[in-house]
Amino acid sequence: MANLKQLAQSLGLSITTVSRALDGYADVSATTRERVRQAAKQAGYHPNASARRLRKQRAELVAVTLPSEPGHIGPAHFLEMLSGCAEHLAAAGLNLVIAPVPSGESELDMCRRFVDGQRVDAMLLVRTKRHDERVEFLQSRGIPFVTNGRTESTIQHAFIDGDGLSGFRRATLRFYDAGHRRIGHIAGPQAYFFAHERKKGWEAAMNDCALPTDLCIEQAPTEQGGYEAALELLNRPDRPTALVCATDEMAIGALRALREVDGGDLISLIGHDDLPIGAFTSPSLSTMRMTGGNLGHSFASLLLRTIAGEPPETLQELHAIEFVDRDSHHRSSPVA
Amino acid sequence: MANLKQLAQSLGLSITTVSRALDGYADVSATTRERVRQAAKQAGYHPNASARRLRKQRAELVAVTLPSEPGHIGPAHFLEMLSGCAEHLAAAGLNLVIAPVPSGESELDMCRRFVDGQRVDAMLLVRTKRHDERVEFLQSRGIPFVTNGRTESTIQHAFIDGDGLSGFRRATLRFYDAGHRRIGHIAGPQAYFFAHERKKGWEAAMNDCALPTDLCIEQAPTEQGGYEAALELLNRPDRPTALVCATDEMAIGALRALREVDGGDLISLIGHDDLPIGAFTSPSLSTMRMTGGNLGHSFASLLLRTIAGEPPETLQELHAIEFVDRDSHHRSSPVA
DNA sequence: GTTGACTTCCAAAACGTTTTGGTTGATCTT
DNA sequence: AAGATCAACCAAAACGTTTTGGAAGTCAAC
C-alpha cells in the first residue's frame, strides 16, 4: 500500500537507497539492505506496477488476439494452452491479456490498438491465416511476436506448428494401405493455414495413390460443420469408406452423421487434436496430435526468446504429428 | 509513436493544450482542437498507456484467476465466456488478463500479487468454492470483484450464478414423475459451491419423494470422472435407472459407461451446461442451462457497476435454469 | 477606462518508480 | 600526508501523461 517515499522516510533513508536495496544492488550495505527488506515486508510494500512500467518503458504485458468466429471460438483445449502460456510468462514478469476481436473490428485493428498505445511488449497470434495481415503489421512496427501456426508470408517470424501436411498424408496413406480406395476429407476453412495444410496432406496422399481428390468438402470447424460435411459426402453415389477430418470437433460431428446413415457404422474416420472427449465418443475417436510436450510453455518460451532478440529463423518449431489410435479408424476392411 | 511533447512542439502549442484538445475539453477552441486532431492522426499519436495509468492511478486492467485442476481447466465454454467478458470490458477501457495459478502457489497468492502491486483495478473470480479465501481477501483490500458462482461467505458480494439447486431438484422430480425410483447423482467436488448446490437440489427432491440418498458418487468434474462414477453406480445391486450429472462433461463420460454395461441403453441421464457437443453425442445429451443471455457480457457489466461503486446487494444475479431436452433423458419407462 | 465575464491558452506539479552521476568519509598506498 | 581507492549513500532527472491554478487577451457593460 505504501510507496517508496513513505518507506524511505520511515527508515531515514533516501528513495534511491531503498529502491536499490530492494533490487539487490551491491552498493547498499548488507545490514541496510536487510533493514529495508524487513520494513518493506512489514509495511506490505510492493512497487507500483504502472510507475515501474513507465520508467522502464516496458508494458510487462503480452496480448493474444482471440479469433471471433461466430459462435465458436476455437478448439476446446485453447484455454488450457493459454493458461500454460500465461503461467510461463508470469514467471518472467509478463502478464497475458486476452484480446477478443469485437464485432465490426478487424484483427488488425485490435493489434493496432495494443501496439500503438504501447500497451504490450509482444503479441501472440493464434489461428493464423495463410495471408495474415497481422504478421506484416507487427513486423513493420518491430513488435516481437510468435504465431501458433505458420503463414504463407515471406517474412521470417517465430512460430510453433504441427506438421499437418505430413500427418494428414500419412493418415490417408494408412487408410489406403488398409484397403480403402474412396477416402474423403472434411476440410476446415481454407483461409486458415492449418486447414489448408491438412487438406494439402490429404491431396498429396491421394495423388500418390492415383486417386481422385473430389471427395472433399469444406465446412466450419465445428461439430455442426463436420456433421453437415459428412452427411453430404455420405449421400454421394461414390460415398467414401473412410474420412479424414481436419479437427476432432468436425470428426465428432461426422460421427453423428455416421450413426444416422445406413452402413455408416462401417465407415472409418480420424480426427486431429486429441481432445480429451475423444476417448468418450461412440465409437471412440482415433485422432492425431502434435508431439512436443506442453504447447503453452513452448509458446511462451519462444516468445521470451523473441523478446530477447534472437533471430526468428532460429525460433521456428515444426513438430511431428503422432497418431492416437482408438476405435474409429478401423471399422471395416473394405474391398476395393 | 510520438509523444505529447513532440506533438506539442511541432504544433507550437503547449503540452496541456494538446492533451486537452485530444480529450475534448471545452477550453480549447474548435479550430485548434481540429488542428491538433489532424496532427495527432497524422503522426499516429496514441497516449502512452503506462503514463496515463500512473497519472490516473488506475491500472485499466482486470484479472481473472484460472483454477488449475490438474489436467482440466474447466468447462469447454469457459473461454467463450471470458472472451465475451473481455470484449465488453474493452469497450470501457479495461483489459482482461488471465491469471493461471502456478503450481505450488495458492489462488490467494495470485490475488495478492495482482492486488498488492496495484496491477489491477478489479478481479473476476470463477469456479468459486463454498469457502473461498479470495473473497475475504479482496473484500479486506477493498478491491471490486464479481464472482461467477456464489459462496457461503457472510460477506455480501456481487455474483452471477445459476439456480442449480432448483434446476437439479426439478430435473430429479421430472425423473420421479416419469416413473423412476432409483435416481442417482454423479456429483462434482463438493468444495465447489456449484457442485454442492446441485447435489443439494438432487437431495431435496429425493427427500421430497421419500427416496434414499445413497445413490451418489463424487468425482472429478471431467469425462473420466463421470465415467468412473457411472460405472461404480451401475455395478451396484440396486443400480439407478436414471442419472443426474453435475456437468455435461461428467454426463458425457457417464454415457460411455452406459454403452459399456448391459442394459445401459435403458438408463436415462441428464447433464448441465449445454455444451454444443451435447447435440452430437450418442445418445444426444439432454441437459440444462442458465437462462439470461451472454454470460460474459453480464459478468462484465456487473463488474463495471461494482467498480462504479454500486452496493453489492444490488449486484447479485441468480438466474433460472431451463431444460434442453434431447434424447438421453427419456430412454425407458421404468416400472416401479 | 475600469470592472467583470469569458475565451483560450499554458507553466508547473503530480503520479511512483529507476537510473545517472555524483558526494562523503573511511581506508589503503606510497 | 597527499593521493588513490572503495563502500555507502543520495539529489535530481527522467519516463509521458493529466490536472491544477492561473495568465493573457477580448469583449461588453457601466
Side-chain angles (χ1 to χ4, degrees):
Chain A
M1 287 293 105
N3 61 22
L4 220 40
K5 194 172 176 180
Q6 292 162 16
L7 194 58
Q9 220 145 31
S10 81
L11 283 163
L13 288 170
S14 75
I15 292 179
T16 307
T17 301
V18 175
S19 173
R20 295 180 75 86
L22 292 173
D23 275 6
Y25 280 73
D27 66 355
V28 177
S29 76
T31 61
T32 306
R33 178 161 46 237
E34 202 42 49
R35 198 162 66 95
V36 171
R37 286 213 174 123
Q38 289 296 334
K41 189 164 198 173
Q42 159 75 25
Y45 169 79
H46 292 264
N48 178 289
S50 299
R52 185 188 40 228
R53 288 166 180 171
L54 172 60
R55 173 62 229 224
K56 295 202 123 178
Q57 294 290 81
R58 286 199 267 101
E60 299 180 354
L61 249 37
V62 173
V64 55
T65 64
L66 293 185
S68 66
E69 299 145 49
H72 220 86
I73 207 156
H77 57 293
F78 234 70
L79 184 57
E80 203 142 0
M81 190 270 272
L82 290 183
S83 171
C85 185
E87 188 179 331
H88 202 123
L89 288 176
L94 292 172
N95 285 121
L96 184 62
V97 340
I98 61 176
V101 181
S103 54
E105 207 164 334
S106 74
E107 309 206 348
L108 185 58
D109 293 333
M110 272 318 289
C111 286
R112 233 192 273 276
R113 260 212 273 168
F114 277 94
V115 169
D116 287 345
Q118 294 158 68
R119 269 204 255 275
V120 295
D121 298 323
M123 293 211 62
L124 254 35
L125 304 184
V126 295
R127 282 284 178 115
T128 43
K129 304 214 165 113
R130 286 158 63 194
H131 303 287
D132 206 306
E133 49 185 12
R134 299 172 293 176
V135 168
E136 272 90 21
F137 171 73
L138 292 175
Q139 229 263 347
S140 77
R141 284 286 195 281
I143 301 289
F145 68 98
V146 179
T147 67
N148 182 15
R150 288 161 284 169
T151 68
E152 290 179 1
S153 167
T154 53
I155 294 173
Q156 291 288 328
H157 60 86
F159 66 76
I160 187 164
D161 202 358
D163 189 355
L165 195 150
S166 163
F168 275 64
R169 188 161 177 272
R170 279 156 45 219
T172 307
L173 290 177
R174 213 160 61 135
F175 278 142
Y176 183 87
D177 290 342
H180 292 278
R181 289 301 175 265
R182 291 193 307 283
I183 306 167
H185 178 46
I186 297 184
Q190 294 295 296
Y192 290 113
F193 188 92
F194 81 92
H196 186 61
E197 198 73 358
R198 291 173 192 183
K199 182 178 176 189
K200 284 200 311 197
W202 167 78
E203 275 175 350
M206 295 300 271
N207 287 332
D208 288 351
C209 304
L211 295 172
T213 55
D214 55 339
L215 282 174
C216 177
I217 289 185
E218 181 179 334
Q219 260 288 4
T222 61
E223 289 93 354
Q224 184 67 27
Y227 172 68
E228 290 173 14
L231 275 189
E232 191 174 335
L233 282 174
L234 294 173
N235 282 329
R236 291 196 186 170
D238 59 338
R239 84 179 191 189
T241 61
L243 288 172
V244 184
C245 306
T247 72
D248 274 359
E249 294 185 318
M250 299 184 90
I252 287 168
L255 281 182
R256 172 172 150 196
L258 294 189
R259 287 192 301 267
E260 290 180 0
V261 303
D262 277 347
D265 57 327
L266 294 178
I267 294 176
S268 293
L269 177 153
I270 187 170
H272 181 295
D273 281 348
D274 192 26
L275 297 190
I277 206 167
F280 297 89
T281 55
S282 166
S284 63
L285 184 64
S286 297
T287 184
M288 310 173 232
R289 69 165 168 229
M290 212 177 88
T291 57
N294 187 319
L295 178 57
H297 279 216
S298 312
F299 211 9
S301 78
L302 276 186
L303 189 69
L304 292 174
R305 290 168 60 193
T306 304
I307 293 176
E310 294 189 34
E313 294 80 7
T314 65
L315 299 171
Q316 303 177 329
E317 292 190 4
L318 187 58
H319 292 277
I321 301 296
E322 66 186 4
F323 292 119
V324 179
D325 288 337
R326 297 201 185 93
D327 294 337
S328 71
H329 79 292
H330 49 54
R331 303 182 78 197
S332 68
S333 307
V335 255
Chain B
M1 287 292 105
N3 61 22
L4 220 41
K5 194 172 177 180
Q6 292 163 17
L7 194 58
Q9 220 145 29
S10 80
L11 282 163
L13 288 170
S14 74
I15 291 179
T16 307
T17 302
V18 175
S19 172
R20 295 180 74 86
L22 292 173
D23 274 6
Y25 280 74
D27 67 354
V28 178
S29 76
T31 60
T32 306
R33 177 161 47 236
E34 203 42 48
R35 199 163 63 97
V36 170
R37 285 211 174 127
Q38 289 295 334
K41 190 165 197 173
Q42 158 75 26
Y45 170 78
H46 291 264
N48 178 289
S50 299
R52 184 187 41 228
R53 288 167 181 172
L54 172 60
R55 173 62 228 226
K56 296 202 124 178
Q57 294 291 80
R58 287 200 266 101
E60 298 180 355
L61 250 36
V62 173
V64 53
T65 63
L66 293 185
S68 66
E69 300 144 47
H72 220 84
I73 208 155
H77 56 292
F78 233 71
L79 184 55
E80 205 141 357
M81 190 271 271
L82 290 184
S83 171
C85 185
E87 189 179 332
H88 201 124
L89 288 177
L94 292 173
N95 285 120
L96 183 62
V97 341
I98 62 176
V101 180
S103 55
E105 208 165 332
S106 75
E107 309 206 348
L108 185 57
D109 292 335
M110 273 316 290
C111 287
R112 232 192 274 274
R113 259 210 273 168
F114 277 93
V115 169
D116 287 344
Q118 293 159 69
R119 270 205 255 273
V120 294
D121 298 323
M123 294 211 61
L124 254 35
L125 303 185
V126 295
R127 282 286 179 111
T128 44
K129 304 215 164 115
R130 286 159 64 195
H131 303 289
D132 207 305
E133 49 184 11
R134 299 171 294 177
V135 167
E136 272 90 19
F137 172 73
L138 292 175
Q139 230 264 349
S140 76
R141 284 286 196 280
I143 300 290
F145 67 98
V146 180
T147 66
N148 182 14
R150 287 161 285 170
T151 68
E152 291 179 1
S153 169
T154 53
I155 294 173
Q156 291 289 327
H157 59 85
F159 66 75
I160 187 164
D161 203 357
D163 189 356
L165 194 150
S166 163
F168 275 64
R169 186 161 177 273
R170 280 156 45 220
T172 307
L173 290 177
R174 213 161 59 136
F175 278 142
Y176 183 87
D177 291 342
H180 292 279
R181 290 301 175 265
R182 290 193 308 283
I183 306 167
H185 178 46
I186 296 184
Q190 293 297 297
Y192 289 113
F193 188 93
F194 82 92
H196 186 61
E197 198 73 358
R198 292 173 191 183
K199 182 178 176 188
K200 283 199 311 197
W202 167 78
E203 276 174 350
M206 295 300 271
N207 287 332
D208 288 351
C209 305
L211 294 173
T213 56
D214 56 339
L215 282 173
C216 176
I217 288 183
E218 181 180 333
Q219 259 289 2
T222 61
E223 290 93 354
Q224 183 67 29
Y227 172 69
E228 289 173 13
L231 274 189
E232 191 174 335
L233 282 174
L234 293 173
N235 281 330
R236 292 197 186 169
D238 60 339
R239 82 179 191 190
T241 61
L243 288 172
V244 184
C245 306
T247 73
D248 274 0
E249 293 185 318
M250 299 183 90
I252 287 169
L255 281 182
R256 172 171 151 197
L258 295 188
R259 286 193 301 268
E260 290 181 358
V261 304
D262 277 347
D265 56 330
L266 296 178
I267 294 175
S268 294
L269 176 152
I270 187 170
H272 181 296
D273 281 348
D274 192 27
L275 297 190
I277 205 166
F280 297 89
T281 55
S282 167
S284 64
L285 184 64
S286 296
T287 184
M288 310 173 232
R289 71 166 167 227
M290 210 177 90
T291 57
N294 188 318
L295 177 57
H297 280 216
S298 313
F299 210 10
S301 78
L302 276 187
L303 188 70
L304 292 174
R305 290 167 60 193
T306 304
I307 293 175
E310 294 189 35
E313 293 80 7
T314 66
L315 299 171
Q316 303 176 331
E317 293 189 3
L318 187 59
H319 292 277
I321 301 297
E322 66 186 5
F323 292 118
V324 178
D325 288 337
R326 296 203 187 90
D327 295 337
S328 70
H329 79 292
H330 49 55
R331 303 183 79 197
S332 69
S333 308
V335 254

